[in-house]
Amino acid sequence: MKKVLLSIVAALFAMSAFAQAPVKVTEADTTKRVQIGGGLNLIYQGLNQTGVYQNFGDETTPNIQEAQVTDWFRLPAGDLDMRVRIADGVNLHTSVWLASHHHTDTYFGFGYLEVQKFDVLGLGSGATDFLNNHLMIKAGIGNSMFSTNQYYRTTNANAKNNPFISNTLIDDFGTALFGEAYFFANDKESFLMFGLHDFASKFGNSVVPQGQDKGRLPRLSLVGNKVINFNEDTKLALQAGYVTALEDGTSSQQFKNNRAGSELAQIFNQGDFGGDMGLQQRNENNFSIDGTFNWKALQARASFQYLTGEHSLNRTWIEGDVTQFTFDLTYDISSKVYLAGRFNSVGSKLEVENGEKYEGQKIEIGAGYEMTKGILMKASYFNQDMTNDFVGIENGNVNGLLVGLNLYF
């Protein structure tokens, strides 16, 4: 009986398992040279929708009615991931999206090189030891570092880092060319990051008239993260991020380049991007301030984003400010079961003639059960209000039940 009680106490005192911030690795890598992984994510929607209208006729004989979304399983998403140890501390990460909610064909999701150790440079023991203890470099095609919302989201079929089923209203995810340098403190958790990212609207090359500017500058990212460990049960992490465009005119896909689609289908007449407010910017200066507090089995996280510049409102560029606030609370009942709640809101102050508001609010309360490593089940109550998204000007309310099954290896 005493052993059972001690095991329960140990589980309750364990730190929350969802923190995904980068850390500095200095130990020797003894894992297999090539590791294969992947996953499948399946979601059931049982949602009620009000205040959303759609034309069920055609242009000649319109039939405008209030629209509802059927209750059933969404098509699953599937990933095939690979980690290749090229050398000690030098790893290649790739993810092929076998099936996704938006682009249904198999395609390359992301891939990047992560360098934690620099022995291959042959700089001598002093310089090499310093770099191995304090520097990490990531470069390739993937997502940029900006806010802690990125640590707790579902990326196609990878849902194990997300305590919830849906992502935030303005989803900070996009696959693009990027390069990042992380400078870590002695605790191997606190860091400063300097990055360059190309979040322009399209990959590849195009043909332009002679004399027109052929180049395109990337976007600059700066992130600082400070971790304070009070004791083995209590930790506070503070993070601030900044992203800016280094040239005018190119539209950013930082919040609108998730080729996999969102986690919810058809709500608010948004097709594969249900519930996503679809923010697109140019000439932006974006700021984020985040805090994550862990005490034993409890984790509280808050994120505030201030997004300035020009915003695309139904394909018209409008100056103004957009804000997003996210507050998460998770509690690990045991090593297998957790409870979670999220409040997420978006507001705006835009230079629009008609004075329309562009805002949204979402609450998600749920629980998760990891039957065994590789089988994670989730269920949540979902409630979202929206007064105009940034794409199709949709309004209304959606609420009800969400159930998710995430299989991973």
Side-chain angles (χ1 to χ4, degrees), residues 303-380:
S303 173
F304 177 76
Q305 297 176 332
Y306 180 62
L307 314 173
T308 70
E310 295 180 66
H311 310 277
S312 177
L313 303 184
N314 201 18
R315 300 185 179 181
T316 300
W317 292 105
I318 302 295
E319 287 270 3
D321 305 328
V322 174
T323 58
Q324 176 168 238
F325 175 73
T326 306
F327 179 74
D328 294 348
L329 199 63
T330 60
Y331 181 75
D332 295 330
I333 296 176
S334 71
S335 60
K336 293 180 176 290
V337 181
Y338 69 87
L339 301 176
R342 166 175 285 176
F343 173 79
N344 180 209
S345 67
V346 169
S348 64
K349 188 176 181 181
L350 303 172
E351 298 176 5
V352 291
E353 295 179 359
N354 53 16
E356 286 183 329
K357 295 182 178 180
Y358 292 80
E359 57 189 21
Q361 182 173 295
K362 179 168 68 174
I363 295 173
E364 188 170 350
I365 301 172
Y369 171 51
E370 190 169 35
M371 297 175 59
T372 184
K373 186 176 180 180
I375 304 177
L376 176 60
M377 300 180 66
K378 306 177 189 179
S380 64

Side-chain angles (χ1 to χ4, degrees), residues 77-90:
D79 293 344
L80 180 62
D81 304 323
M82 182 181 296
R83 176 182 179 268
V84 180
R85 177 165 51 85
I86 299 174
D88 185 24
V90 181

